[in-house]
Amino acid sequence: MDLKNFNWTRFPESFTLLTEGIEVVTKPHTDLWQNTYYHFQNDNAPVFQMETEEKYFSFIVKTEFSESHHRFDQCGIVLYLDSENWLKGSIEYENDSYQHLGSVVTNNGYSDWATTEIEASIHSMWYRLSRREDDYRIECSVDGENFQQMRICHLINGNGKVRFGIYACSPEDSSFKAVFTKMQLTDCQWPAHEGQQPDK
């Protein structure tokens, strides 16, 4: 992918363009979250995205985060429309024993968080974000070949032009380096639904 098509919404501490990707160093006290349960609003994480009006596509990226070491350090895939409407998929460091592999979807200013615990020894993950009009699917993979579904979701304001890409942040007093490579934009890898039909 040509990273010249990408733009920053807020800059990280620093970044370096690589031959096949980008290296990002996070700023402390940066995050994305809106309201739900915690009742605070954080909207200062840097996101690096491109725009499209294409209704059907898949975006793939490999993340590496061996330097992640502090609670909530995270990096992954993002589709950020504005402060109140976005989704992300990532791994959040928790402690020396485990991390949270999960996703957040935010509609009209309220976030949810779906997670599963994985070993803290995992320092790399692939993600695939697929769009079918205003519905989206996030998947993950440890090898870039075999993807597993993390979630299907709907974005209320996600039916027009969208921006998507990568993000990295450190919600607490920390900073780390995240590396994003193998970025691809492909035809939609999420097949049309052929199962149960809607009730009539």
Side-chain angles (χ1 to χ4, degrees), residues 65-97:
F65 42 94
S66 60
E67 293 187 8
S68 176
H69 63 282
H70 194 281
R71 188 174 65 162
F72 306 143
D73 282 349
Q74 60 192 268
C75 64
I77 204 163
V78 68
L79 189 151
Y80 182 90
L81 302 178
D82 55 45
S83 64
E84 296 189 339
N85 298 276
W86 47 266
L87 62 82
K88 66 179 183 179
S90 64
I91 289 175
E92 296 189 18
Y93 183 87
E94 186 67 30
N95 55 46
D96 291 339
S97 299

Side-chain angles (χ1 to χ4, degrees), residues 52 54-61 77-79 87 127-140 147-155 158 162 164 184-192:
T52 186
E54 175 58 51
K55 299 289 189 179
Y56 300 91
F57 69 84
S58 290
F59 171 64
I60 303 162
V61 63
I77 204 163
V78 68
L79 189 151
L87 62 82
Y127 299 97
R128 183 164 66 192
L129 170 67
S130 297
R131 178 188 190 185
R132 297 189 67 86
E133 297 183 341
D134 49 2
D135 294 324
Y136 297 85
R137 180 167 77 164
I138 302 174
E139 299 169 280
C140 64
F147 283 85
Q148 297 179 326
Q149 181 173 291
M150 294 171 64
R151 77 185 298 158
I152 292 172
C153 65
H154 179 82
L155 284 180
V162 298
F164 64 91
Q184 301 175 58
L185 184 61
T186 71
D187 292 338
C188 185
Q189 303 298 302
W190 184 13

Side-chain angles (χ1 to χ4, degrees), residues 59-63 77 125-127 166 180-183:
F59 171 64
I60 303 162
V61 63
K62 180 183 181 183
T63 64
I77 204 163
M125 187 64 69
W126 295 71
Y127 299 97
I166 55 97
F180 302 87
T181 56
K182 312 295 185 183
M183 284 187 269

Side-chain angles (χ1 to χ4, degrees), residues 96-107:
D96 291 339
S97 299
Y98 70 92
Q99 308 174 95
H100 283 119
L101 169 65
S103 57
V104 176
V105 175
T106 300
N107 277 304

Side-chain angles (χ1 to χ4, degrees), residues 9-10 30-32 42-47 80 167-169:
T9 301
R10 298 174 297 263
T30 51
D31 196 8
L32 293 175
N42 287 336
D43 184 44
N44 60 353
V47 295
Y80 182 90
Y167 87 103
C169 63

Side-chain angles (χ1 to χ4, degrees), residues 6-15 22 24-27 30 44-48 168:
F6 284 65
N7 291 290
W8 286 105
T9 301
R10 298 174 297 263
F11 285 95
E13 184 69 28
S14 65
F15 69 93
I22 186 169
V24 177
V25 176
T26 63
K27 284 183 179 179
T30 51
N44 60 353
V47 295
F48 190 55

Side-chain angles (χ1 to χ4, degrees), residues 33-41 105 109-113:
W33 183 264
Q34 288 289 352
N35 287 304
T36 307
Y37 179 66
Y38 304 113
H39 306 299
F40 55 67
Q41 296 174 286
V105 175
Y110 288 89
S111 298
D112 68 30
W113 188 29

